Amino acid sequence: MSYFNHYPQRKDYIILLIIWLIALAIDRTWLFLDESIPAYDQSAHLTVALYHYKVFQNFNIFSGDWWLSLWQLTPSYRAPFVYICTVPFLMLFGRGSDQASLVNLLYTAMIILSVYHLGNFLFNNRKTSITASIFCLLFPILGIIRTDYLLDYGLTAIVILTFTVLTIWKDSYIRFSSWGLTIVLGIGIGLIMLAKPTGIIFILVPSIWTLISFIKKRRFTKLIQTCLSLMIAWLICHFWYGVNWLTIITSALKANQVGKGEGDPSATTIAGWLYYPQMIPESIGLPILSVSIGILLVYLIKYRFNTDLISVNLHKSARIWLLVTLVSSYIICTLGTNKDIRFILPCFPIISLILADLFNLIENIHFDRLRLTTLVLSGIVLLNNLFPLPLIQAWGGKHLPNDDARKYPLDKLINKINETDLYLRSNLGVIPVSAPQINEFTLDYFGTLADFRVYGRKLTTNLSRIEQDLQYFSWYVTRENEPNEPGESGETKRKLKSVVESSTDLKLQGDWILPGRDKLRLYHRKNPYVVVQKISNTESGISIEKVEISQQLILDKNNPVTYQITGSWDDLQNGLLLLKWQNDQSYWYHDHAIGLGNLYCGIKCHPEGSFRVKEDLATFVPKTLPLGKYQLSALYLDRRNNKITSLNIPDITVNVTDVGTVEKSPPLDLVTRTSQLAQELQQGKLNNLFVQISNFNQYDPTQDYLKQIEFAGNYHLQKEPKNLNWRYTLVLSQLLQRQVPELIQNLIELTKYDAENPYTYLYLAFVYLYNFQPVQAEPNLAIAEKLKPDIPELKTLKKVTNIMKFLPLQWFSTKE
């Protein structure tokens, strides 16, 4: 009888529903009792999920910009599938970690149903299928992961679902169902690639095996279906990969090196190959493992000289199929340098089927009682891992609920920041600490949870960057009695803490007692660079009320300047000041967003009335400018509609001189800093450039400075198309925002206005290659080589071009 003609009895689904409800009861009870603070990884994942929630507040399926903003939220190998699945639960139930973890109930249902149908198809045995589904409930590792918010559980669900479809599809001959499964298989593969790129390894070998069998048996229809399935998979995931493929590769390579730093055993050692096997007993529970293997041994002994042993061959192909999948996944995972039991989580549904098959090899009343006893014991083992039960401690206590939130009042710290800066987005500098409860990821999550108003960012671990880091944050957090750490990193942390706590520019804003009588201290800048206050002014429109600046500005220095701007909230929040200090022939710009782009009080916060924004900044006078008097002019650019308005300002004239010094100045805004880096880009000096850009992204966690450059640069280049500094500054903005079509067009313009610069052609060729357009890259590399043949990167880019010309990926690229 065909699998598709076999309809499971209704009571099977009732049993599966009961299994799911038991999982729901256990998981939600644990979460009800737990008041822990999410650790590093969990906090990072929850924060990204909240950003997906924020993007979906303005859902627009027909907007290319909306889709780009969605894909850009996950530039690393941590793909968006799980986060997107979480959004409906956040919308329906709230934005907390418990609400986010509700998505795991969906994944549990997927795993239970997939394992059941896979077991039915392979073994044609309802008892084995239901047993495997029960095992997926009882395995301690799956029970622990179900109460966490991590990518691995969602990946496990989509992998086992896709593997089930692959298994059924490869042997399906009915025309309608076969083509339907082809589509579902393509969707499944695409979603695996959107869940975690490395997830494909769990179905890689069985997929290749299936394809080889199709070729050997000349099953041309299946080969056509295979191509269709892969095309569907690519259509689903290629937009995300197209935007992020380079950062996905680099972040994955970086993550793979983490294991070396953590001391994970190498695949070249016996310890490396035994790493995962030795964790299996505690991951699946000793009762299930020992009884399943025991029944297998009894079965083999019982039928050793009996021809009935032949009956075991009835499911030989099914067992080989599962074992090949399991062993191949284990080998590939072991070859990686970074090891964790989570990384082989998609193997456990396969293990559940293999063990369920062994578990039910012998049918009689005595073994039925043994099986029932084993399931009860396994349930106790699971509960003992999750709850503080007075049972065998060697089997339990792995993942108990706790009350960290009461001991570590991070929500109070975040509230203190928001109460102080009612109308500002705040960036909190965090000295790297070893505690899982207090770190930049966790503080960032709590700040994001508070309506996206506070960001937690790690301060430097490099001694040479301490002074710069301590200029660009207005808030800092330190912890008393942090354990001493050896080496430069430890020295940097101690110096940072000492400098913060002794700084005369900072004041203690609040402190809280932690466990062990430690103290958490919050510091705030006494004179913040941006201050916002509500005023009673009823005048409409933007106005620069006051500009405070020295009459003598020093060439090639950061010169302090204070701007005071008034207007309505929406106009201030969406406004860009285009400031120009000029004389008859020369000028310099000081363009920036009002409040440096940090005016914010919540997603739906749009207060009425007028506000005053005071900015204490610095303006840099380029050393190439002639000395003399310069006058300020100002324009207002509305980011909502690109409308330009001329501003009436006080008559401000300064004298630029090369004599004198500036005693103390605020740091330069990031638009000006990026403009300075553009000169290094023009000269091909990239090493310092990207180090500094990484710093800037810490100082402006929303990277709004890139948007400011985009608006200002596009405006100025309409009037000054030959302004090379603005063009190269705009290149940096477009590159970092991955605006490929605009970046290509800008670089093409640069090849006209900076035609003798080989780096311009090199950058254009690189972007073409990034966009999988090797044919367009080739002539630009040739020009760059002609202008300067000794550029080190030329040889590499030429090799990449030659390789890409033979890859089909370019067929899917976005052409100009």
Side-chain angles (χ1 to χ4, degrees):
M1 180 182 295
S2 168
Y3 177 74
F4 295 99
N5 294 325
H6 172 71
Y7 292 93
Q9 297 180 18
R10 184 176 298 176
K11 67 179 182 180
D12 283 5
Y13 287 110
I14 294 174
I15 293 170
L16 295 178
L17 177 61
I18 292 171
I19 294 170
W20 182 83
L21 289 173
I22 293 172
L24 181 152
I26 293 172
D27 298 351
R28 300 325 290 181
T29 300
W30 189 93
L31 289 165
F32 176 77
L33 296 173
D34 179 63
E35 294 184 34
S36 63
I37 293 173
Y40 307 95
D41 284 350
Q42 291 87 342
S43 294
H45 292 307
L46 287 164
T47 301
V48 179
L50 286 171
Y51 280 113
H52 281 76
Y53 162 85
K54 185 178 181 181
V55 165
F56 273 90
Q57 299 298 302
N58 300 307
F59 178 62
N60 186 350
I61 194 172
F62 300 109
S63 169
D65 289 339
W66 183 87
W67 283 105
L68 180 62
S69 69
L70 177 68
W71 302 134
Q72 288 181 336
L73 288 175
T74 45
S76 75
Y77 67 95
R78 292 174 167 176
F81 170 74
V82 171
Y83 307 127
I84 293 172
C85 289
T86 308
V87 170
F89 294 91
L90 297 177
M91 289 181 170
L92 289 172
F93 302 106
R95 295 184 287 185
S97 57
D98 286 4
Q99 290 83 353
S101 66
L102 283 168
V103 72
N104 288 342
L105 295 175
L106 171 65
Y107 301 141
T108 299
M110 290 169 63
I111 292 170
I112 290 172
L113 283 168
S114 299
V115 165
Y116 170 79
H117 285 289
L118 182 58
N120 259 359
F121 180 79
L122 290 175
F123 299 106
N124 197 25
N125 186 327
R126 293 173 49 243
K127 191 173 182 180
T128 298
S129 305
I130 292 173
T131 302
S133 296
I134 294 172
F135 285 177
C136 288
L137 165 69
L138 296 177
F139 283 175
I141 182 62
L142 293 178
I144 290 169
I145 293 292
R146 280 199 303 269
T147 58
D148 251 332
Y149 186 81
L150 296 163
L151 300 187
D152 307 276
Y153 197 56
L155 175 66
T156 300
I158 195 63
V159 165
I160 189 59
L161 175 62
T162 306
F163 180 70
T164 301
V165 173
L166 171 66
T167 304
I168 298 171
W169 167 79
K170 72 183 179 70
D171 291 326
S172 69
Y173 297 94
I174 301 173
R175 180 175 299 176
F176 176 77
S177 59
S178 181
W179 285 99
L181 285 171
T182 298
I183 295 171
V184 176
L185 179 63
I187 294 171
I189 295 171
L191 292 180
I192 288 175
M193 297 299 291
L194 279 183
K196 204 173 185 181
T198 53
I200 203 68
I201 67 177
F202 296 100
I203 64 167
L204 180 62
V205 172
S207 298
I208 294 172
W209 184 12
T210 300
L211 182 60
I212 291 172
S213 71
F214 290 163
I215 295 172
K216 288 175 66 175
K217 296 176 183 179
R218 299 185 179 181
R219 297 176 63 180
F220 297 112
T221 301
K222 284 294 183 185
L223 289 172
I224 293 170
Q225 290 178 348
T226 301
C227 294
L228 175 62
S229 184
L230 293 174
M231 288 178 65
I232 292 171
W234 180 246
L235 286 173
I236 287 173
C237 68
H238 89 280
F239 291 106
W240 180 68
Y241 282 92
V243 172
N244 301 295
W245 69 268
L246 187 59
T247 49
I248 293 169
I249 293 172
T250 54
S251 62
L253 291 173
K254 184 177 179 181
N256 201 39
Q257 298 302 313
V258 171
K260 292 181 179 179
E262 295 177 347
D264 290 346
S266 168
T268 59
T269 65
I270 295 176
W273 287 99
L274 295 178
Y275 184 88
Y276 289 123
Q278 68 187 5
M279 300 178 77
I280 292 297
E282 68 177 23
S283 298
I284 65 179
L286 281 173
I288 290 175
L289 181 64
S290 56
V291 171
S292 298
I293 294 175
I295 292 175
L296 172 63
L297 293 174
V298 171
Y299 185 89
L300 293 175
I301 293 170
K302 180 179 179 182
Y303 292 107
R304 184 175 180 184
F305 301 107
N306 195 318
T307 55
D308 288 344
L309 182 60
I310 297 172
S311 64
V312 78
N313 292 324
L314 289 174
H315 305 299
K316 180 179 178 181
S317 61
R319 292 173 177 126
I320 292 174
W321 175 250
L322 292 175
L323 283 171
V324 166
T325 302
L326 177 62
V327 172
S328 63
S329 300
Y330 156 72
I331 291 172
I332 297 173
C333 289
T334 301
L335 291 174
T337 59
N338 197 11
K339 293 181 175 64
D340 191 290
I341 192 64
R342 291 190 290 116
F343 299 160
I344 63 164
L345 202 69
C347 291
F348 285 95
I350 304 296
I351 294 173
S352 77
L353 272 166
I354 294 171
L355 293 180
D357 178 36
L358 303 181
F359 199 68
N360 292 288
L361 276 176
I362 300 175
E363 295 288 345
N364 64 49
I365 190 169
H366 301 294
F367 278 89
D368 284 345
R369 290 171 181 167
L370 174 63
R371 281 186 276 267
L372 181 60
T373 303
T374 302
L375 294 179
V376 171
L377 283 174
S378 296
I380 294 172
V381 169
L382 171 66
L383 294 176
N384 201 38
N385 269 278
L386 294 173
F387 300 100
L389 304 178
L391 300 172
I392 303 173
Q393 292 305 307
W395 286 2
K398 305 291 191 234
H399 192 61
L400 302 179
N402 61 57
D403 59 350
D404 277 351
R406 297 179 184 176
K407 302 174 184 175
Y408 295 88
L410 303 188
D411 53 343
K412 294 180 181 178
L413 182 148
I414 298 298
N415 289 337
K416 186 72 174 179
I417 294 174
N418 286 334
E419 288 168 4
T420 306
D421 285 343
L422 280 174
Y423 300 107
L424 281 174
R425 181 189 290 113
S426 301
N427 198 16
L428 175 63
V430 184
I431 297 173
V433 294
S434 57
Q437 298 88 355
I438 305 172
N439 56 78
E440 65 273 17
F441 299 109
T442 301
L443 287 164
D444 191 42
Y445 167 63
F446 273 84
T448 306
L449 202 58
D451 215 3
F452 305 88
R453 293 183 60 192
V454 178
Y455 295 78
R457 290 297 181 265
K458 181 175 72 172
L459 292 174
T460 183
T461 55
N462 188 326
L463 282 171
S464 63
R465 274 178 36 206
I466 284 179
E467 294 303 323
Q468 178 174 295
D469 270 24
L470 292 177
Q471 284 185 314
Y472 276 95
F473 291 88
S474 289
W475 293 93
Y476 300 86
V477 62
T478 67
R479 181 187 176 189
E480 199 176 63
N481 297 331
E482 176 67 19
N484 284 334
E485 182 180 322
E488 183 181 342
S489 178
E491 184 182 349
T492 304
K493 292 178 185 180
R494 289 188 290 274
K495 184 172 181 180
L496 274 169
K497 182 173 179 290
S498 173
V499 171
V500 167
E501 294 183 344
S502 62
S503 174
T504 57
D505 294 330
L506 303 176
K507 62 180 177 181
L508 182 65
Q509 196 75 24
D511 56 13
W512 296 268
I513 301 296
L514 301 176
R517 308 309 297 172
D518 284 2
K519 191 171 283 188
L520 191 67
R521 294 192 177 102
L522 177 66
Y523 291 87
H524 187 216
R525 196 169 293 281
K526 291 179 181 177
N527 299 302
Y529 304 132
V530 177
V531 176
V532 184
Q533 61 180 135
K534 193 165 186 178
I535 58 176
S536 58
N537 186 3
T538 58
E539 293 183 10
S540 61
I542 291 291
S543 171
I544 298 182
E545 282 187 331
K546 187 188 298 183
V547 179
E548 297 178 0
I549 191 169
S550 171
Q551 291 186 346
Q552 299 284 335
L553 299 190
I554 312 301
L555 205 65
D556 199 27
K557 298 291 182 183
N558 301 343
N559 295 269
V561 58
T562 299
Y563 303 107
Q564 194 164 287
I565 310 105
T566 59
S568 68
W569 176 259
D570 286 343
D571 287 343
L572 290 168
Q573 189 182 43
N574 293 288
L576 202 69
L577 293 179
L578 304 179
L579 305 177
K580 189 176 184 180
W581 295 87
Q582 61 184 335
N583 61 17
D584 293 337
Q585 302 294 330
S586 304
Y587 55 86
W588 81 90
Y589 291 112
H590 194 199
D591 302 341
H592 62 275
I594 297 173
L596 300 181
N598 289 320
L599 302 188
Y600 181 80
C601 56
I603 294 179
K604 298 180 180 179
C605 176
H606 297 280
E608 299 294 328
S610 297
F611 292 80
R612 175 180 291 120
V613 179
K614 182 183 177 185
E615 304 172 339
D616 287 330
L617 309 178
T619 185
F620 181 79
V621 184
K623 63 182 179 181
T624 55
L625 290 184
L627 306 181
K629 295 189 180 297
Y630 289 78
Q631 193 169 27
L632 177 65
S633 63
L635 300 173
Y636 170 82
L637 190 157
D638 193 330
R639 294 207 245 188
R640 294 165 294 188
N641 53 25
N642 272 315
K643 183 180 178 182
I644 299 291
T645 304
S646 180
L647 297 179
N648 293 322
I649 59 172
D651 186 12
I652 304 293
T653 301
V654 296
N655 184 49
V656 172
T657 178
D658 57 359
V659 178
T661 58
V662 179
E663 290 186 5
K664 193 170 184 179
S665 168
L668 289 175
D669 60 277
L670 297 182
V671 174
T672 303
R673 290 290 305 274
T674 309
S675 175
Q676 293 175 339
L677 288 178
Q679 298 170 23
E680 296 183 23
L681 180 70
Q682 185 176 4
Q683 298 164 13
K685 300 175 181 178
L686 303 182
N687 292 337
N688 174 65
L689 188 150
F690 286 110
V691 169
Q692 289 300 328
I693 288 294
S694 177
N695 297 339
F696 296 173
N697 291 341
Q698 292 284 87
Y699 307 149
D700 182 356
T702 64
Q703 279 84 68
D704 188 69
Y705 75 100
L706 298 174
K707 286 289 183 185
Q708 297 172 37
I709 291 169
E710 180 185 343
F711 280 102
N714 285 328
Y715 169 77
H716 289 303
L717 289 173
Q718 288 177 4
K719 299 182 176 300
E720 308 170 51
K722 298 181 181 181
N723 189 319
L724 294 183
N725 186 254
W726 266 118
R727 284 218 176 269
Y728 281 103
T729 305
L730 189 58
V731 163
L732 281 174
S733 169
Q734 293 166 335
L735 175 67
L736 295 168
Q737 294 181 87
R738 285 160 286 169
Q739 297 172 334
V740 176
E742 296 87 348
L743 177 56
I744 288 175
Q745 188 56 46
N746 189 17
L747 285 167
I748 288 173
E749 292 298 309
L750 265 173
T751 60
K752 300 176 185 176
Y753 299 121
D754 200 12
E756 297 303 313
N757 186 346
Y759 296 105
T760 303
Y761 299 95
L762 196 72
Y763 300 148
L764 180 56
F766 171 80
V767 177
Y768 275 131
L769 292 175
Y770 179 89
N771 205 39
F772 297 104
Q773 295 176 258
V775 174
Q776 289 85 342
E778 204 165 24
N780 288 284
L781 288 174
I783 297 172
E785 187 173 29
K786 184 178 179 181
L787 291 170
K788 191 175 181 181
D790 59 344
I791 300 177
E793 295 79 10
L794 261 174
K795 191 175 181 180
T796 302
L797 290 178
K798 286 172 70 177
K799 286 182 179 178
V800 172
T801 301
N802 291 330
I803 293 170
M804 274 194 174
K805 284 196 293 186
F806 297 98
L807 289 180
L809 292 173
Q810 61 183 290
W811 304 339
F812 297 94
S813 67
T814 303
K815 306 300 180 186
E816 293 173 48

